[in-house]
């Protein structure tokens, strides 16, 4: 299980695995990218979708650190200090002396959120319990779920509290490596179009059935009323 940060790009992670497979890296004989899961924070999702900020640390520090203390500690810590001496030497003296943290790509927060929603086999709508404290909770959850399904109609959506699922099999190995893990940009686009078309067809069928049912009821009521008129005459 690989747990990434909130500012990770799932397409980049998928690309690393696919490149490793292409170049026959030995490690890929023991591991594979099976299922990709995105955890949505329902308390902030809608706000971030409308945000004009970037994912850069200075612009959105809360996406990188839990608090200011953690942020300062990270800036004061040289990640090279935790590497074995031989590996540090292999990386070179220049890198070893550097204590700066590599800048995070300044992608828009909303753009990254859309990507994280689109490139997933499973989407967990988390912190439902916190939303329940809001009087408009039901409407917000429905809105978020509608957006998620529109962005990624092929994903399985699960509502959770504390990111807990009833059965781990619902997320671990759920896609079997045949979902977004093995897809590319073209595959993503094709799947989105196909899934969207299926949803549109289903919606149209449901609407048509509703219209037919409504017409049947109207005709029945009209016939019933007409019968009473004849009886009364």
């Amino acid at each position: 299980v690989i747990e990434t940060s909130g500012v990770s790009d799932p397409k980049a992670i998928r690309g690393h695995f696919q490149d490793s497979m292409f170049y026959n890296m030995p490690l890929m004989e023991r591991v594979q990218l099976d299922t990709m899961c995105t955890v949505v924070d329902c308390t902030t999702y809608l706000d971030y979708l409308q945000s004009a900020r970037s994912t850069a640390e200075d612009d959105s520090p809360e996406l990188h650190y839990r608090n200011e203390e953690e942020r300062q500690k990270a800036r004061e810590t040289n990640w090279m200090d935790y590497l074995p001496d031989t590996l540090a030497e292999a990386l070179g003296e220049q890198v070893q002396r550097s204590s700066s943290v590599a800048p995070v790509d300044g992608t828009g927060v909303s753009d990254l959120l859309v990507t994280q929603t689109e490139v997933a086999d499973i989407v967990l709508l988390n912190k439902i319990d916190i939303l329940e404290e809001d009087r408009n909770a039901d409407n917000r959850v429905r809105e978020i779920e509608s957006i998620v399904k529109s962005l990624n109609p092929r994903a399985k959506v699960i509502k959770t509290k504390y990111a807990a699922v009833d059965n781990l099999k619902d997320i671990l190995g759920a896609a079997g490596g045949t979902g977004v893990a093995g897809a590319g940009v073209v595959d993503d686009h094709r799947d989105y179009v196909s899934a969207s078309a299926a949803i549109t067809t289903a919606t149209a069928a449901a609407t048509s059935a509703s219209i037919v049912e409504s017409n049947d009821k109207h005709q029945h009521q009209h016939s019933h009323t007409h019968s009473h008129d004849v009886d009364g005459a």
Side-chain angles (χ1 to χ4, degrees):
V1 176
I2 300 175
E3 181 179 0
T4 63
S5 70
V7 292
S8 296
D9 182 353
K11 287 184 179 180
I13 295 172
R14 179 178 66 184
H16 290 319
F17 273 87
Q18 291 177 343
D19 288 344
S20 299
M21 287 289 292
F22 180 80
Y23 290 108
N24 296 316
M25 295 186 66
L27 179 62
M28 301 311 295
E29 297 177 0
R30 304 178 60 184
V31 301
Q32 73 167 359
L33 185 60
D34 187 291
T35 303
M36 301 186 73
C37 179
T38 292
V39 181
V40 168
D41 184 339
C42 290
T43 64
T44 60
Y45 189 75
L46 296 179
D47 293 332
Y48 279 135
L49 273 182
Q50 302 175 53
S51 175
R53 292 187 295 163
S54 75
T55 57
E57 180 183 327
D58 291 337
D59 204 12
S60 304
E62 77 281 1
L63 297 179
H64 300 263
Y65 309 104
R66 289 172 293 184
N67 50 53
E68 185 61 25
E69 180 181 354
E70 187 177 276
R71 182 183 184 185
Q72 290 298 328
K73 184 177 180 180
R75 289 190 169 188
E76 295 169 359
T77 302
N78 183 358
W79 61 274
M80 290 289 293
D81 294 339
Y82 297 94
L83 294 180
D85 293 338
T86 52
L87 179 56
E89 291 175 4
L91 291 175
E93 293 183 0
Q94 184 177 358
V95 178
Q96 187 174 2
R97 290 195 301 266
S98 174
S99 60
S100 61
V101 179
V104 177
D105 178 27
T107 303
V109 172
S110 59
D111 294 331
L112 178 61
L113 201 59
V114 168
T115 299
Q116 291 177 337
T117 304
E118 289 178 336
V119 186
D121 297 297
I122 312 291
V123 176
L124 301 184
L125 301 186
N126 196 38
K127 297 188 179 180
I128 295 295
D129 52 319
I130 297 179
L131 277 189
E132 290 175 348
E133 300 173 3
D134 187 342
R135 64 178 61 184
N136 295 320
D138 291 340
N139 291 333
R140 290 191 64 185
V141 172
R142 279 196 295 268
E143 182 178 2
I144 293 172
E145 188 171 9
S146 175
I147 292 173
V148 168
K149 288 183 176 180
S150 295
L151 290 174
N152 190 352
R154 61 187 173 181
K156 180 178 181 180
V157 179
I158 304 175
K159 299 175 184 177
T160 62
K161 301 177 182 179
Y162 299 99
V165 294
D166 294 333
N167 191 339
L168 283 179
K169 291 183 179 180
D170 289 338
I171 57 175
L172 293 182
T178 61
V180 297
V185 176
V186 175
D187 299 310
D188 289 338
H189 180 71
R190 182 183 64 245
D191 289 346
Y192 297 149
V193 172
S194 299
S196 296
I199 290 177
T200 301
T201 301
T203 302
T207 302
S208 177
S210 177
I211 293 175
V212 171
E213 183 180 359
S214 177
N215 288 337
D216 288 343
K217 288 183 179 179
H218 175 74
Q219 291 177 0
H220 174 73
Q221 291 174 351
H222 178 73
S223 175
H224 186 65
T225 302
H226 180 70
S227 175
H228 278 296
D229 290 342
V230 172
D231 291 343

